[in-house]
Amino acid sequence: MSGYLLDTNVISKFAPDRPASAEELKAWMREQGAADLLYLSAMTAEIEKGIRSLQRRGSTEKASRLRQWLEGIIASFDDRILPMDVAVALAAGGIEDEAAAQGRHPGLGEVIIAATAKSRGLTVVTENTRYFEPLAGAAERPVGS
C-alpha cells in the first residue's frame, strides 16, 4: 500500500468554523483523494472526543456542526478509514516502547496513527512532523501550510 495517512490536525483544517484552508492544500487533497491515496485512522476517535467534550461543556451547536462534518468525512473516506488490526497493534506496542525509551510519552491517538502508517507503508501528513518522524518514520507537512 502507498499513500498518505492524514493526522487529525490536517483533516481538521476543513472543519466548520475554521478559517479557509490554503488553495494549494485543497488542490493537493482533491488530487490525492481522486487517486485513492488518502487514508484516515484514529483521527476519528480524536475528533469524537472533541465533539463529546463540547457537548459536555454545553457547546451543543458547535458540537452538532462538527458531528455533521465528521459524519460527512466518514462517508467520504468510507473504505479508506483503516482499522486497528493485529499488525497495527503490534506496531503500536513497538512504537510506544521506543518512545518511552527516549523519555517520550505520545498520546494513544498519535501512537495508533503512527502504527497504522508504519504497518501499511504510508506517510503521515501532519503539522507535527518532528513529533511523528521518530514514531512513524515517514512524515510530511501538508502543502500550503
Side-chain angles (χ1 to χ4, degrees):
M1 179 180 283
S2 66
Y4 303 95
L5 186 63
L6 302 178
D7 186 16
T8 307
N9 61 32
V10 174
I11 199 73
S12 293
K13 288 178 173 282
F14 298 93
D17 303 329
R18 295 288 302 262
S21 298
E23 289 303 317
E24 188 179 11
L25 176 58
K26 290 178 186 177
W28 183 85
M29 294 279 287
R30 280 192 299 272
E31 181 182 312
Q32 302 309 313
D36 287 335
L37 294 175
L38 295 180
Y39 297 91
L40 303 176
S41 67
M43 56 67 51
T44 52
E46 291 179 315
I47 293 171
E48 179 67 20
K49 177 183 172 185
I51 291 170
R52 289 184 183 230
S53 174
L54 287 169
Q55 289 171 329
R56 182 173 30 79
R57 292 181 288 137
S59 297
T60 55
E61 288 181 28
K62 184 173 184 178
S64 179
R65 287 191 302 275
L66 285 171
R67 166 78 55 223
Q68 289 177 334
W69 171 75
L70 179 58
E71 288 171 359
I73 294 294
I74 291 168
S76 295
F77 277 82
D78 190 32
D79 63 340
R80 289 176 291 126
I81 298 176
L82 303 174
M84 183 167 172
D85 57 14
V86 173
V88 173
L90 292 172
I95 287 169
E96 197 162 21
D97 178 64
E98 288 175 31
Q102 297 170 14
R104 300 177 48 218
H105 303 283
L108 180 60
E110 287 78 13
V111 169
I112 293 172
I113 290 169
T116 302
K118 191 172 191 174
S119 69
R120 303 282 198 309
L122 299 171
T123 299
V124 175
V125 177
T126 180
E127 293 285 338
N128 301 319
T129 55
R130 288 189 300 180
Y131 190 75
F132 271 95
E133 284 171 346
L135 300 177
E140 294 179 5
R141 290 184 59 80
V143 296
S145 65

